[in-house]
Amino acid sequence: MTSPHSAYELVSDTELPEYRARGILFRHRKTGCEVYRVVTEDRENVFAFTFRTGPSDETGVAHIIEHSVLCGSERYPVKEPFLAMIRRSLATFMNAFTYPDKTVYPAASAVEADYFNLLDIYGDAVFHPRLSEDTFLQEAHHLEFAEDGRLDVRGVVYNEMRGDYSSGESLAGTACSTSLFSPGHPYSFDSGGNPEHIPSLDYAAFRKFWEEHYHPSNCRIFLYGDIDTERQLEHLDRRFLGAFEARPVHSEIPLEPRTSTPSRIEVPYPLAEGGEAATSIIVNWLTIPVTDGVESLAMEVLSEILLGHDGSALAKELRDSGLGEDLSPQCGIDTGFRQILFSAGLRGATRGDEGRIENLILDTLRRQIETGFSPESLDAAFHSIAFSNREIRRGSGAYGLRLYNRSIRGWLHGAPPEATLSFETPFTELKSRLATNPRYLEELAARELLGNGHRRTVTVYPDPGLLERRREARDSELAAKAAALSPEERERLRVLGERLAAGQAARDSPEAIATLPRLAVSDLPHSIEIIPRMNTEIDGIRASLHPQFTNGIVYLDLAFPLDLLPRRHFLWLPLLTRFISGAGLPNQPYHKVAEALARNAGAFSAMLESSTPATEAQKPAGERTTRSFVIFRLKALVEKFPTAVRLALSLIRGADYGDIGRIGDLYAELRNDVVSALIPAGHSFAQARAGAFMSDALAAEELWRGPSQLRFLLDLKNRRTEEIAASLRAAAAAIVGRRGARINLSAESGDLEGVVRELGLALEASGLPGEAEVQALPIETETVPQERFEAYSLSAQVGFTATASRASALGSAGYAHETVLAHLLTTGALWEEIRMRQGAYGASCSADGLEALFSFSSYRDPRPVESLGYFPQALAQLHKRLGPEETDEAIVGAVGRDLRPLLPEERSITDFRRELYDISDDLRAAKREDLLSTRREDVLRAAESLASRIEAGSEVLFSRAEDVEAFKARRPSASVYKLPL
């Protein structure tokens, strides 16, 4: 093949059979910019601009630029073109990310015209941003006098990272990587920014960093999908690359020289006085360059053998050691650096036990290397990696972004993209090396781990006084700054603040808005996608079948209704489902079961769901019925399905509740997971609690995912594990039975008949009872009544809020209007006020048609009580800013969510959920028509109706003590809780 465009030279053209794709690498002749095109039949096209942006300090400059380039460009001189496109685009994915060594700007769309619109917006943003000083002040930091007269620091990234530095898990992740690199190495700095250092960044340094790094000569462009290659290359050259000349860019990330002397570091994180939190001790190694595709795959296999599942050799030794409560989330390899990192350690450890944990890890490695890895563990590792590469799944973005993430590992550092993207070629080569040298992996472990002195042990521990000391130091520093300001300097600050506020409040001119590309409502389809479904029975259980392309994978969902389990016992279900999917069997210990699952299943997990059926949604709140399910999900290659399904059914039917140690381990793991999630995801806890007051279904969800679950898990710490085991057994007996059970099955059309037959045989042999058995639990539980107004005190530098109020139900036109309203507010007033002006990391609202609720939340918010007060104002003032064009843009954005192509796994479970909750295709079609026919007046009526209901709704706050006091002043009847964290 020759290059299809004269502006580019063809570097390579490689078949990628594992992805049913072709990978073509081009180099732009004038600039040296490399463009990697993955040609597939996927209509969800993806692009990503990548710049190598290793930092030289902890000011977070790369992170701040990531935010800032999306705030207006030469061709699109509006304040927030990125946000404007969210409003008016059919994008299936839009975001930007800062990593330790790169900044990435990806987007995806299944509509060609929309795709090119997004490509224009992003390209102009990265190559021709405005980067005004006011944007810098808004996104980075600025000084401002608060209403009480005190000087304060504001800034979106500043507040985002204050939240990050309140989380022990986040600090652990940062320390595990930065500690492995020598001072001054780009990886030795936190690229996100340390909030203590962010205020030292000035505008000149900010501009200089962009000028040095954001040039096509330092850019790699990834393209994925079915749009014509020549057309995309032409577009990039004509719109962007052709205007530049090549220049040297010194952004290479140097290899870190190996050291031979291990060391230790300690990192504190905030904890409330008298609270509980876990210490983590993690041992980390710097290993091989990521650019070697075969050795990188070998390290991945090694990580699976040692830590891939609960039965893996090192994972089991750590769990069984008694030196900690559960494995650290950092365990495993990290391929996001030029050299692969390997980590192993414990959460819930004791400070001072570093030597014991190090010795345990090294002794386990030594024994494993001496005796050799078992054929079973090797088989499990290869199967897990092969399954992961075969499965077509979205992850956190579009499927094409998964391939981008694999290709950029080596590509960023000078290797061909295929070196780390391709799986089949290095997989074949690795097997060849193992055939020649059966101890290849043991020798790798001896060289890169056991005999590798480039090792750092990180201890992250809770410090009860840290938050207060940091606050006092910050307040003292700001007070000193304020006292030292001359009258002229104070006036300059005042003028600057007024200028910044005026700019944030100003509306973009019609001329500026007109530069943005847009789709019209008339461009949107009226038809909805209907997922084919066949209904049948399998061994007497009602089943839904979805024949579709799955790349040889079977997806099985087995749903059990929860109507026989008393509501107060719902609190047990997160622990029960984690235990069932991670337990042993009476005749087989958990580590052997875990290994068998790894060898035969892609995954075995469980989901808890509660919802109001669509047929009940329009009834008064007190008259609706609720459906709640536990859904066990099994993924397996079709040839492994018979063994995998029998193993899964054995666990569902008869997990070993006599394994007290295993129950204790999984309880500690769940408790630590929930505790560690509170600071980074406090808005989720607030949303769960706010919704629980307004909806019976959401009250059930809150028992699983809200403060009630957190309290329950903390209370269980004082109970005997034998009592916990007996309660879990009784709860399982009240759930597992054929009555009301449902099956959802998805496989290739040619495989489905055999899969149904194997599932029927497995169910027949499983001994699944006809009726669940309700019995008393040894440990009785009580739920905490939801209050309309609640506040929770946290050791955090930022806060989280949520509200919920009555709204329209699915099936009514009002629900469609509220959906458009939610999109408008999230991408308009809330963004401008709470994110831009107040400096919160995020704010959003949503309409829930099944529960007939409208919700609002803010995230990593330095002024959360003000945010709660602003939400009603945003509704009341909507008429001042809403015109027909803004309404149409919001309709496009709202409909766009329904147009995202569903991948095989998503199609199956999405249609199953619709069936479980009576969401018919007629109802979905009516919603689409209601969306498309929405007018400005409809949205204003929806806002007026919601505004009249807010005071009857609920409000929840998670934040520091002073914010809780302010909330109590706002809502004197509020219940206040102090979480022991």
Side-chain angles (χ1 to χ4, degrees):
M1 175 184 174
T2 59
S3 175
H5 195 286
S6 60
Y8 304 81
E9 61 176 306
L10 175 67
V11 179
S12 64
D13 185 354
T14 308
E15 290 294 329
L16 301 168
E18 59 267 53
Y19 305 117
R20 299 192 304 162
R22 241 173 73 224
I24 313 172
L25 181 62
F26 301 95
R27 183 177 293 112
H28 191 249
R29 297 182 191 276
K30 283 184 67 178
T31 64
C33 176
E34 291 188 348
V35 180
Y36 188 54
R37 173 81 176 99
V38 178
V39 182
T40 76
E41 296 180 358
D42 191 348
R43 65 186 180 90
E44 186 177 25
N45 285 265
V46 175
F47 67 79
F49 293 91
T50 302
F51 298 89
R52 200 158 48 196
T53 55
S56 58
D57 56 36
E58 296 215 314
T59 60
V61 59
H63 186 188
I64 293 163
I65 287 174
E66 174 227 307
H67 282 239
S68 302
V69 301
L70 299 172
C71 294
S73 64
E74 287 183 7
R75 187 174 288 141
Y76 307 107
V78 298
K79 289 191 299 181
E80 297 279 355
F82 174 78
L83 191 66
M85 291 309 293
I86 291 178
R87 282 198 289 260
R88 58 171 62 197
S89 169
L90 298 177
T92 56
F93 185 83
M94 286 180 68
N95 216 324
F97 304 101
T98 301
Y99 294 93
D101 51 16
K102 60 185 174 289
T103 308
V104 185
Y105 299 88
S109 180
V111 178
E112 186 169 313
D114 190 49
Y115 173 86
F116 279 105
N117 289 345
L118 294 169
L119 190 62
D120 273 349
I121 294 290
Y122 270 77
D124 206 57
V126 297
F127 292 123
H128 305 289
R130 292 192 297 178
L131 294 184
S132 69
E133 185 176 13
D134 282 359
T135 295
F136 169 76
L137 296 172
Q138 171 185 289
E139 299 298 324
H141 65 88
H142 65 277
L143 292 171
E144 186 176 309
F145 283 101
E147 291 180 2
D148 60 5
R150 290 187 299 177
L151 196 63
D152 196 10
V153 181
R154 304 279 169 83
V156 173
V157 172
Y158 175 73
N159 284 313
E160 176 188 348
M161 297 312 295
R162 288 178 75 198
D164 215 45
Y165 274 63
S166 298
S167 164
E169 294 295 358
S170 178
L171 287 168
T174 300
C176 285
S177 59
T178 56
S179 64
L180 285 165
F181 297 91
S182 54
H185 191 284
Y187 290 148
S188 70
F189 304 107
D190 183 353
S191 62
N194 183 327
E196 293 185 6
H197 295 275
I198 289 172
S200 67
L201 178 69
D202 62 29
Y203 180 60
F206 162 84
R207 289 279 318 191
K208 182 181 179 184
F209 191 93
W210 175 81
E211 290 164 0
E212 291 177 346
H213 293 83
Y214 280 66
H215 186 277
S217 298
N218 190 44
C219 184
R220 289 159 178 79
I221 303 174
F222 177 87
L223 307 171
Y224 166 94
D226 67 352
I227 294 176
D228 179 70
T229 299
E230 182 178 2
R231 184 179 172 203
Q232 295 200 68
L233 294 176
E234 161 64 21
H235 195 89
L236 288 170
D237 177 66
R238 176 170 45 84
R239 296 289 260 180
F240 311 116
L241 304 181
F244 294 87
E245 299 292 337
R247 77 174 195 203
V249 179
H250 304 292
S251 63
E252 293 80 6
I253 307 297
L255 286 169
E256 174 73 8
R258 290 279 190 94
T259 62
S260 58
T261 306
S263 61
R264 298 172 182 169
I265 68 165
E266 292 191 325
V267 179
Y269 70 93
L271 175 70
E273 293 287 350
E276 294 184 14
T279 291
S280 293
I281 299 176
I282 309 145
V283 183
N284 311 276
W285 283 267
L286 185 73
T287 72
I288 64 169
V290 74
T291 48
D292 187 323
V294 180
E295 286 225 317
S296 294
L297 179 60
M299 283 298 299
E300 193 174 348
V301 172
L302 185 60
S303 178
E304 282 291 326
I305 290 172
L306 294 171
L307 293 163
H309 54 83
D310 287 348
S312 298
L314 183 52
K316 184 177 185 302
E317 288 292 333
L318 284 166
R319 283 185 179 278
D320 293 350
S321 68
L323 294 173
E325 294 182 327
D326 69 318
L327 296 186
S328 164
Q330 275 69 45
C331 283
I333 63 168
D334 189 337
T335 57
F337 298 81
R338 187 170 181 184
Q339 288 150 283
I340 293 175
L341 315 186
F342 182 94
S343 302
L346 288 164
R347 183 169 57 177
T350 301
R351 196 175 170 196
D353 274 351
E354 288 82 0
R356 297 176 68 189
I357 291 173
E358 289 167 350
N359 289 336
L360 172 68
I361 293 171
L362 294 173
D363 288 345
T364 301
L365 288 172
R366 188 176 293 109
R367 285 196 306 274
Q368 287 291 309
I369 291 167
E370 288 174 355
T371 60
F373 302 132
S374 70
E376 292 81 7
S377 65
L378 188 59
D379 182 43
F382 275 130
H383 174 263
S384 294
I385 294 169
F387 184 94
S388 176
N389 279 274
R390 183 186 289 193
E391 186 177 24
I392 302 171
R393 61 185 175 87
R394 190 172 298 279
S396 58
Y399 174 67
L401 285 176
R402 291 187 66 212
L403 305 194
Y404 161 80
N405 287 329
R406 293 189 66 89
S407 67
I408 200 64
R409 291 177 190 173
W411 187 23
L412 189 76
H413 305 294
E418 296 87 359
T420 50
L421 171 60
S422 178
F423 171 70
E424 295 291 352
T425 300
F427 193 66
T428 301
E429 173 60 22
L430 178 56
K431 286 189 171 182
S432 174
R433 293 186 189 184
L434 284 167
T436 304
N437 177 12
R439 286 188 56 80
Y440 172 78
L441 288 171
E442 287 85 352
E443 291 171 3
L444 180 69
R447 185 183 79 229
E448 297 300 329
L449 300 178
L450 186 60
N452 180 2
H454 198 119
R455 188 178 79 233
R456 305 289 181 265
T457 300
V458 172
T459 301
V460 182
Y461 65 94
D463 183 339
L466 181 62
L467 187 66
E468 290 71 23
R469 293 196 301 274
R470 283 180 176 170
R471 185 182 297 127
E472 288 172 4
R474 180 174 179 270
D475 290 348
S476 176
E477 181 183 353
L478 288 170
K481 279 186 178 181
L485 290 173
S486 66
E488 293 78 14
E489 289 170 326
R490 284 177 172 267
E491 177 62 15
R492 276 199 297 272
L493 274 184
R494 185 190 67 78
V495 171
L496 182 148
E498 289 181 353
R499 185 189 79 199
L500 185 59
Q504 291 168 336
R507 305 295 302 277
D508 289 312
S509 70
E511 294 78 16
I513 290 291
T515 65
L516 292 169
R518 60 177 297 180
L519 295 175
V521 173
S522 58
D523 296 327
L524 304 178
H526 285 253
S527 61
I528 60 167
E529 181 185 14
I530 296 175
I531 299 172
R533 177 204 310 156
M534 300 187 299
N535 294 110
T536 186
E537 282 193 356
I538 302 176
D539 196 41
I541 299 176
R542 186 175 166 190
S544 303
L545 308 182
H546 293 93
Q548 60 172 334
F549 171 73
T550 62
N551 211 18
I553 292 172
V554 179
Y555 296 99
L556 168 66
D557 300 298
L558 187 55
F560 296 100
L562 301 175
D563 52 321
L564 295 182
L565 187 70
R567 176 60 67 87
R568 67 184 183 279
H569 295 331
F570 276 29
L571 288 163
W572 287 98
L573 297 182
L575 179 56
L576 174 64
T577 53
R578 182 168 294 211
F579 173 70
I580 288 175
S581 58
L585 294 166
N587 60 350
Q588 199 174 4
Y590 82 87
H591 63 280
K592 290 295 184 182
V593 173
E595 184 177 76
L597 279 170
R599 292 172 66 190
N600 294 285
F604 175 54
S605 59
M607 302 173 282
L608 294 164
E609 295 192 353
S610 186
S611 179
T612 300
T615 48
E616 300 276 322
Q618 296 198 48
K619 293 181 180 178
E623 298 178 15
R624 302 176 194 155
T625 60
T626 295
R627 292 178 190 167
S628 303
F629 297 91
V630 56
I631 304 175
F632 292 97
R633 159 148 281 209
L634 176 70
K635 308 178 188 180
L637 299 176
V638 67
E639 62 270 22
K640 299 271 191 177
F641 180 72
T643 303
V645 72
R646 281 167 171 76
L647 193 53
L649 286 169
S650 296
L651 288 167
I652 293 170
R653 179 70 181 94
D656 183 8
Y657 295 91
D659 189 347
I660 302 303
R662 183 60 175 159
I663 289 174
D665 287 346
L666 291 174
Y667 157 65
E669 178 184 87
L670 176 61
R671 186 186 71 240
N672 288 332
D673 282 349
V674 174
V675 168
S676 64
L678 187 57
I679 297 297
H683 62 302
S684 297
F685 286 80
Q687 287 170 329
R689 196 67 183 170
F693 180 77
M694 310 296 292
S695 157
D696 182 62
L698 296 182
E701 294 271 345
E702 192 275 331
L703 296 177
W704 301 326
R705 287 178 267 277
S708 292
Q709 179 66 199
L710 176 59
R711 287 197 194 94
F712 170 71
L713 292 172
L714 293 173
D715 290 344
L716 275 189
K717 197 170 186 179
N718 302 317
R719 305 305 296 249
R720 292 172 58 245
T721 310
E722 290 80 1
E723 292 179 294
I724 295 174
S727 293
L728 290 176
R729 186 194 299 270
I735 294 169
V736 177
R738 293 172 177 271
R739 186 195 65 85
R742 298 286 296 275
I743 291 168
N744 182 49
L745 193 60
S746 178
E748 307 269 2
S749 297
D751 295 329
L752 198 55
E753 183 179 351
V755 168
V756 168
R757 182 174 61 253
E758 289 294 341
L759 177 56
L761 293 172
L763 284 167
E764 186 179 358
S766 69
L768 202 66
E771 291 283 342
E773 181 183 348
V774 180
Q775 50 188 276
L777 273 62
I779 301 176
E780 286 297 317
T781 56
E782 295 296 332
T783 60
V784 179
Q786 287 84 25
E787 304 291 339
R788 283 185 59 208
F789 308 121
E790 295 182 348
Y792 295 80
S793 182
L794 284 182
S795 290
Q797 300 179 72
V798 289
F800 309 87
T801 65
T803 71
S805 55
R806 300 285 178 211
S808 302
L810 177 63
S812 68
Y815 168 61
H817 304 156
E818 288 162 7
T819 300
V820 174
L821 172 64
H823 193 71
L824 272 168
L825 292 174
T826 299
T827 58
L830 299 183
W831 179 282
E832 293 171 10
E833 173 66 20
I834 296 174
R835 190 184 186 281
M836 289 173 58
R837 195 182 74 79
Q838 294 183 189
Y841 186 49
S844 64
C845 53
S846 61
D848 184 339
L850 289 176
E851 306 313 320
L853 291 181
F854 197 89
S855 304
F856 156 80
S857 66
S858 69
Y859 174 61
R860 291 190 183 181
D861 190 343
R863 302 156 78 177
V865 180
E866 288 186 36
S867 297
L868 287 170
Y870 177 71
F871 179 53
Q873 294 180 41
L875 290 171
Q877 297 169 3
L878 185 67
H879 67 280
K880 297 179 181 178
R881 57 189 302 147
L882 180 61
E885 286 191 359
E886 288 85 358
T887 304
D888 285 354
E889 288 176 2
I891 294 170
V892 170
V895 172
R897 297 177 183 177
D898 293 339
L899 298 181
R900 185 181 75 166
L902 296 176
L903 299 180
E905 179 184 22
E906 296 172 313
R907 288 170 62 84
S908 172
I909 191 65
T910 297
D911 188 65
F912 187 48
R913 287 190 173 111
R914 289 171 182 164
E915 190 178 13
L916 289 180
Y917 304 118
D918 300 338
I919 304 173
S920 67
D921 291 330
D922 287 344
L923 197 59
R924 295 173 54 231
K927 175 196 167 188
R928 174 70 58 81
E929 291 301 324
D930 287 338
L931 284 171
L932 294 175
S933 62
T934 298
R935 298 292 178 264
R936 176 180 182 272
E937 294 72 23
D938 299 323
V939 179
L940 291 177
R941 276 195 299 271
E944 184 180 353
S945 176
L946 285 169
S948 69
R949 300 173 180 177
I950 285 179
E951 281 304 306
S954 57
E955 291 182 353
V956 177
L957 169 75
F958 281 74
S959 196
R960 53 197 172 184
E962 53 262 46
D963 291 331
V964 170
E965 291 175 7
F967 182 80
K968 185 69 174 175
R970 167 183 165 84
R971 300 294 190 189
S973 63
S975 297
V976 175
Y977 304 94
K978 186 173 183 180
L979 293 172
L981 304 172

